[in-house]
Amino acid sequence: MANEAQSPAVTTQRHGHVLVVTVNNPPVNALSAAVRQGLFAAIEQADADADTQAVLIVSEGKTFIAGADIREFGKPPVPPALPDVCNRIEACTKPVVAALQGAALGGGLEVALGAHYRLALPAAKVGLPEVDLGLMPGAGGTQRAPRLMGVKAAAEFMLSGKPMGAQAALQAGLLDRIVDGTPEGASEGSRPAQEAGLAYANELLASGAPVRRVRDIAIPNAEAALAELSALADDTAKKSRGLFSPLKIIEAVRAAVELPFDQGMALERRLFLACIDSPQRAGLIHAFFAEREVTKVPEARAAAPRAVASLAIIGGGTMGAGIAVSALDAGFPVVMVERDAEAIARGVANVTKVYDGLLAKGRMTEAQKAAVLARFTPSTNYADVAAVDLVIEAVFEDLEVKKAVFQQLDKVCKPGAVLATNTSYLDIDAIAASTSRPQDVIGLHFFSPANIMKLLEIVVPAQVSADVVVTAFELAKRMKKVPVRAGVCDGFIGNRILATYKQAADYLMEDGASPYEIDAAVRGFGYPMGPCQVTDLAGGDIGWATRKRRAATRDPKARYVEIADRICERGWFGQKTGRGFYLYPQGARTGQPDPEVLAIVDAERAKKGITPRSFTPEEIMRRYMAAIVNEGAKVLADGIALRPLDIDVTFLYGYGFPRFRGGPMKYADTVGLDQILADLRSFAQEDPLFWQPAPLLEQLVAEGRNFDSLNQAQR
Ligand code: 3H9
């Protein structure tokens, strides 16, 4: 047995005639420069060593290889490039086997495709998820996958970005065999992938199996494949809505059909580098890291979570029921409390409706539904929450009503139970102060529909103890939510910023842009819907009620636009009433522009003596985004958001912000904070109160810094 280590990230050890090459780069074996160098050198070593007759590539840990090291993108490249590593593996003169345990993603799968034989343990997963990062496979994936799995299937695999399980990969032709690597009596420290791989390599040697290179596989029926790709390209152009990399993927796969292998590789490289240079790549990779960073909060370093085995929800309305479904889906037993028999019957109906929907779509069986509902206990008696570990209040959005609920909970809940409120803007410090245990009270702001929307604002009042905050993050993980830590203020992170950019949209409307032009500009930017469409979907009456409530406290100097009020006064609350900003004839879900709404807008402008001017989509978005970013900077300065990335994740997961732009604060960095500040100063000439630049923004510009510098400072 020889033992020669080339690099700590890759080690080699000969077992008989097989050189075992082990990748060890925690946490996920990303293909950093050291791993690439180590793999390259290992193959050189194998070719040079007369005693080596085959090579086995395996890795340590639960992931095979998670792909290229994403942190290296955008930095100066360090050789060898990954395509060269994969080509070198493929060129090896001795059979190379890759044995996959866990995920082989992106470049990780491409390394395996460079090998001559591939086996996997049953739990392994393979995927080419580069598209989710604004990229495309760039180490031969676009050339080798079509040769193994067929042109259309390979293109669809790359366009979806979704990994497939070992069994599906075997059927698709990406794997040669699956080996159950957990033989009876396997010891703790055993290495099932390595053992299965060694057995396979020795079997190949014994049978005289040749070196077998994917590059040598001919693609049959080129003409039919090209026709399929053209159809896929048309479809993708429609569906991918301005994304850069999906069409590049198809172009590269087309090259696999039309060009010799090496030319196909060269084209793939060019297209991959174009993707690397695109701002979409920067935005999507920012989003990837940001959604992982959000869980790194100060409390996580200071405390461990409390044990949570059971939940109670107070309130069975839309929110309460959605949260109950989320909790049931996470496997918790759930008690739901309502004030009387009628209300709890409605709560039960709201919960059951969700599962009936799944049943109707064939996504759940009767037996599964029954099993979930067996964990659900409706009640009209607060005493039934006495034993639960965590209670979420989701009653009517009124401070006094909520305080009364918390006083009840204070009386009945066991010591140490976490008491959470789902308020979307109320003062949680005041709610906490109405109990004798403010250290246990926290905000859990779910978004509607709560069983679907991923965002969970974890709102941290002044007196809550660190372990309750950590418990909330743990709960989010179990519910598969994306948690963001927020401070207490009116609207927390998301709704506070939303209120500001809706105001900007109102001003645009009164000054000359129609609701339809505003929505179109916002959609053109990449949002799925514009603000007026969102109002129509949520119900115009909700915002109207809030505006009426706040009328007394509104700054009399602030500009107030009444268009939405005029629409609501007519009972036009959006989709549910058949009209709002748009018309929805016969229950249509897509609205049509309404001339009567335009007449209302005209009348309001005339009333205020405003001569309408026109705004291009770009001008609309400059105001819209300047409002978001400016309020975002204020939210940061007030300590409501820990870092700019927390605002980014809030908007990506709760407000439909286009992911390829990374989030509003990342977007601001992309266009340049000096540009945003210049816009604010020019808009402030019309309305100095609303467009007053945030001092933090001015400070960052003066110091030549961007928002990401604040993210980095807290790493
Ligand atoms: C590519 O391969 C391009 C090639 O085609 C061509 C090149 C020329 N790099 O998610 P987790 C970090 S593009 C660097 O919490 P899990 C992550 O940030 C790549 N770092 O664990 C986190 O760090 P921290 C295509 C990475 O068990 C830690 O690892 N591949 C990378 O829930 C743990 O991650 C992908 O897109 C990386 N590639 O899930 C796969 N991946 O602890 C991306 C992760 O500091 N990765 N980190 O917060 C994943 O999907 C998941 O991480 C994985 C593990 C499923 C692997």
Side-chain angles (χ1 to χ4, degrees):
M1 247 196 230
N3 187 358
E4 300 151 63
Q6 286 97 359
S7 102
V10 177
T11 53
T12 57
Q13 186 170 49
R14 201 145 49 65
H15 290 246
H17 291 296
V18 181
L19 186 72
V20 177
V21 179
T22 307
V23 177
N24 184 14
N25 184 26
V28 292
N29 293 324
L31 292 154
S32 62
V35 176
R36 296 195 303 276
Q37 284 155 7
L39 282 171
F40 200 97
I43 301 297
E44 298 269 290
Q45 176 192 343
D47 265 341
D49 176 16
D51 289 332
T52 294
Q53 290 175 12
V55 180
L56 170 65
I57 302 177
V58 289
S59 53
E60 292 283 354
K62 69 181 171 72
T63 306
F64 173 66
I65 296 174
D69 186 339
I70 305 170
R71 289 181 207 274
E72 286 184 1
F73 293 149
K75 295 186 187 152
V78 180
L82 192 58
D84 297 337
V85 175
C86 296
N87 285 345
R88 183 66 191 88
I89 293 170
E90 190 174 58
C92 185
T93 55
K94 298 164 184 178
V96 182
V97 176
L100 280 46
Q101 90 287 13
L105 300 177
L109 178 57
E110 290 172 302
V111 163
L113 296 182
H116 307 138
Y117 297 89
R118 284 161 292 281
L119 78 75
L121 301 185
K125 279 199 175 109
V126 304
L128 292 171
E130 287 88 343
V131 71
D132 294 336
L133 303 174
L135 291 171
M136 52 181 271
T142 65
Q143 306 303 298
R144 292 193 178 95
R147 286 175 160 80
L148 284 172
M149 55 192 308
V151 172
K152 183 164 177 243
E156 284 172 342
F157 181 47
M158 292 178 235
L159 288 170
S160 85
K162 299 230 173 340
M164 55 170 83
Q167 201 58 46
L170 181 73
Q171 271 155 24
L174 288 172
L175 297 177
D176 297 298
R177 67 165 68 169
I178 296 176
V179 176
D180 188 354
T182 48
E184 258 178 61
S187 63
E188 262 259 323
S190 73
R191 299 165 166 235
Q194 176 170 318
E195 282 159 29
L198 271 174
Y200 190 25
N202 283 319
E203 183 190 314
L204 290 167
L205 285 180
S207 67
V211 160
R212 200 184 60 164
R213 300 187 172 104
V214 176
R215 61 178 284 143
D216 295 333
I217 299 172
I219 295 182
N221 303 328
E223 222 165 280
L226 290 174
E228 283 176 335
L229 283 180
S230 294
L232 200 56
D234 290 343
D235 193 45
T236 304
K238 272 186 230 130
K239 285 197 196 136
S240 63
R241 302 194 340 127
L243 288 180
F244 183 75
S245 79
L247 289 172
K248 304 287 171 228
I249 289 176
I250 299 182
E251 204 179 327
V253 175
R254 178 176 286 276
V257 182
E258 289 181 320
L259 300 178
F261 184 82
D262 290 326
Q263 286 178 33
M265 286 294 287
L267 182 78
E268 179 196 76
R269 185 73 184 157
R270 277 203 303 282
L271 295 172
F272 177 78
L273 292 176
C275 293
I276 283 277
D277 285 343
S278 85
Q280 295 189 356
R281 185 274 303 167
L284 287 163
I285 287 185
H286 172 77
F288 176 89
F289 285 120
E291 66 200 19
R292 285 165 173 77
E293 286 296 306
V294 281
T295 57
K296 295 173 190 161
V297 297
E299 290 84 358
R301 275 172 238 134
R306 295 184 187 174
V308 175
S310 58
L311 253 69
I313 315 292
I314 313 297
T318 311
M319 274 323 277
I323 299 169
V325 169
S326 234
L328 289 167
D329 288 349
F332 290 105
V334 176
V335 179
M336 176 185 274
V337 178
E338 261 291 4
R339 58 182 181 282
D340 54 35
E342 201 183 317
I344 194 65
R346 249 196 325 271
V348 171
N350 285 339
V351 168
T352 317
K353 196 167 65 192
V354 174
Y355 293 111
D356 285 342
L358 294 177
L359 209 60
K361 286 189 202 131
R363 283 169 45 199
M364 186 176 232
T365 62
E366 278 288 357
Q368 285 166 329
K369 178 183 154 193
V372 171
L373 291 179
R375 286 187 273 112
F376 181 52
T377 313
S379 163
T380 52
N381 187 352
Y382 270 89
D384 288 337
V385 308
V388 301
D389 300 314
L390 190 147
V391 186
I392 304 173
E393 162 280 311
V395 303
F396 186 62
E397 191 74 347
D398 177 280
L399 189 58
E400 293 314 312
V401 175
K402 295 212 187 250
K403 279 185 186 167
V405 169
F406 273 79
Q407 281 154 13
Q408 282 285 333
L409 294 175
D410 197 10
K411 276 191 209 128
V412 297
C413 289
K414 67 179 184 186
V418 173
L419 308 183
T421 168
N422 174 54
T423 178
S424 32
Y425 63 88
L426 295 175
D427 181 354
I428 303 177
D429 286 314
I431 296 175
S434 71
T435 71
S436 66
R437 37 174 127 175
Q439 74 282 359
D440 297 334
V441 177
I442 192 161
L444 290 180
H445 181 208
F446 289 83
F447 286 68
S448 187
N451 54 316
I452 297 189
M453 292 290 284
K454 286 275 186 193
L455 181 64
L456 178 62
E457 273 182 311
I458 294 179
V459 193
V460 179
Q463 293 194 57
V464 70
S465 72
D467 63 348
V468 169
V469 178
V470 183
T471 308
F473 274 88
E474 190 61 27
L475 178 74
K477 190 163 149 195
R478 286 177 66 182
M479 286 187 166
K480 299 199 171 68
K481 300 290 179 199
V482 177
V484 173
R485 185 192 189 285
V488 177
C489 70
D490 191 343
F492 317 131
I493 297 177
N495 284 347
R496 170 167 160 184
I497 297 175
L498 166 80
T500 307
Y501 70 79
K502 280 190 85 166
Q503 250 175 299
D506 281 350
Y507 299 164
L508 277 160
M509 206 184 293
E510 204 172 54
D511 287 339
S514 80
Y516 315 118
E517 285 170 333
I518 296 171
D519 280 353
V522 171
R523 282 196 309 272
F525 184 80
Y527 277 91
M529 277 191 263
C532 302
Q533 290 173 293
V534 173
T535 302
D536 276 5
L537 181 67
D541 48 331
I542 299 171
W544 193 32
T546 312
R547 291 195 296 279
K548 282 193 276 195
R549 203 169 33 240
R550 291 185 184 158
T553 51
R554 204 163 31 233
D555 182 349
K557 292 197 290 304
R559 179 176 173 188
Y560 182 70
V561 176
E562 293 166 60
I563 297 169
D565 296 348
R566 293 294 95 79
I567 291 173
C568 287
E569 282 158 11
R570 287 164 169 76
W572 301 349
F573 296 148
Q575 288 192 17
K576 63 185 174 190
T577 57
R579 68 194 297 183
F581 280 99
Y582 293 79
L583 283 169
Y584 302 89
Q586 278 101 46
R589 303 193 58 183
T590 320
Q592 296 168 4
D594 183 348
E596 286 187 56
V597 166
L598 293 177
I600 293 172
V601 173
D602 278 342
E604 287 298 311
R605 289 173 186 156
K607 197 173 83 188
K608 298 213 180 146
I610 294 170
T611 311
R613 53 191 157 128
S614 64
F615 292 91
T616 63
E618 200 221 328
E619 284 166 340
I620 291 173
M621 288 320 296
R622 279 176 96 133
R623 282 166 191 258
Y624 203 74
M625 287 309 304
I628 297 183
V629 173
N630 199 36
E631 192 63 22
K634 292 176 188 170
V635 159
L636 279 169
D638 292 350
I640 300 303
L642 279 179
R643 300 150 293 198
L645 65 85
D646 295 279
I647 301 176
D648 286 337
V649 172
T650 302
F651 276 82
L652 293 177
Y653 283 96
Y655 297 82
F657 194 88
R659 188 176 169 91
F660 68 83
R661 297 189 189 274
M665 308 316 265
K666 172 69 185 174
Y667 172 78
D669 279 357
T670 309
V671 296
L673 299 194
D674 50 349
Q675 172 69 57
I676 304 270
L677 183 60
D679 279 351
L680 286 165
R681 287 183 173 147
S682 93
F683 305 151
Q685 290 176 358
E686 299 162 19
D687 182 346
L689 186 64
F690 181 74
W691 292 109
Q692 188 176 35
L696 176 64
L697 189 61
E698 290 179 317
Q699 184 195 334
L700 289 173
V701 171
E703 292 170 359
R705 294 168 64 198
N706 63 9
F707 284 123
D708 200 42
S709 69
L710 300 178
N711 290 329
Q712 302 301 340
Q714 296 212 26
R715 285 240 156 95

